[in-house]
């Protein structure tokens, strides 16, 4: 039985190609059996490497419901989410994800995320990207004061 939400994600992926917006990816977010967010890959259109379909759908859904939490929602994606999108899905508190094309299928057409998955699991010293904590005590103290101000703030909203 076909799924109307996955059909829409795939339609958005196809539209992205035909409108020359970015890669062949689409996503929708559903809450209470209603689409509340849509997105297609907009990377080349906006010159924004973060403008993946899932990120665009999250942004759209959050604006639609005026909340940064998508708890109680399901994401339908035309392809298995990349590491960045997967992280955003966790941050948005989306309950579940369904996808069509696999990582392996995306790799076959030039979208290979395995390098990133591997890099994320390595200690900083072993990564290809240089990542180091600054050592200046004054700077570290200033940064820690910001965290302490947040912790003591009566107006903070935890997310």
């Amino acid at each position: 039985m076909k799924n109307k939400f996955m059909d829409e994600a795939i339609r958005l992926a196809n539209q992205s190609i035909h409108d020359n917006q970015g890669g062949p990816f689409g996503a929708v977010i559903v809450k209470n059996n209603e689409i509340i967010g849509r997105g297609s890959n907009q990377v080349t259109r906006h010159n924004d490497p973060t403008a993946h379909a899932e990120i665009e759908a999250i942004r759209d859904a959050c604006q639609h419901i005026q909340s940064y939490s998508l708890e109680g929602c399901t994401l339908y994606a035309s392809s298995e989410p990349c590491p960045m999108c997967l992280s955003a899905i966790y941050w948005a508190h989306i309950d579940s994800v369904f996808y069509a094309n696999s990582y392996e299928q995306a790799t076959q057409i030039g979208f290979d995320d395995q390098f990133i998955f591997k890099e994320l699991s390595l200690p900083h010293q072993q990564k290809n990207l240089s990542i180091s904590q600054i050592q200046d005590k004054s700077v570290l103290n200033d940064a820690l004061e910001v965290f302490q101000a947040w912790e003591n703030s009566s107006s903070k909203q935890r997310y």
Side-chain angles (χ1 to χ4, degrees), residues 22-35:
F25 305 100
V28 298
I29 296 175
V30 176
K31 186 169 189 169
N32 299 326
N33 211 31
E34 175 190 340
I35 295 176

Side-chain angles (χ1 to χ4, degrees), residues 41-44 46-52 55 59 82 84-85:
N41 188 287
Q42 303 284 311
V43 170
T44 57
H46 295 303
N47 293 316
D48 179 355
T50 69
H52 290 197
I55 302 293
R59 291 172 179 158
C82 76
M84 176 186 67
C85 293

Side-chain angles (χ1 to χ4, degrees), residues 11-26 40-42:
R11 185 192 71 74
L12 289 166
N14 197 38
Q15 181 180 334
S16 179
I17 296 168
H18 290 294
D19 294 347
N20 203 27
Q21 296 174 347
F25 305 100
S40 62
N41 188 287
Q42 303 284 311

Side-chain angles (χ1 to χ4, degrees), residues 6 33 48-50 56 63 66 107 119 123 130 151 154 156:
M6 187 59 75
N33 211 31
D48 179 355
T50 69
E56 294 293 308
Q63 289 301 306
Q66 292 295 291
T107 298
E119 283 283 303
S130 176
E151 187 59 31
S154 61
K156 67 181 170 218

Side-chain angles (χ1 to χ4, degrees), residues 70-91:
L70 296 176
E71 197 170 333
C73 294
T74 300
L75 185 141
Y76 292 82
S78 64
S79 187
E80 196 168 354
C82 76
M84 176 186 67
C85 293
L86 196 54
S87 295
I89 289 164
Y90 277 107
W91 276 111

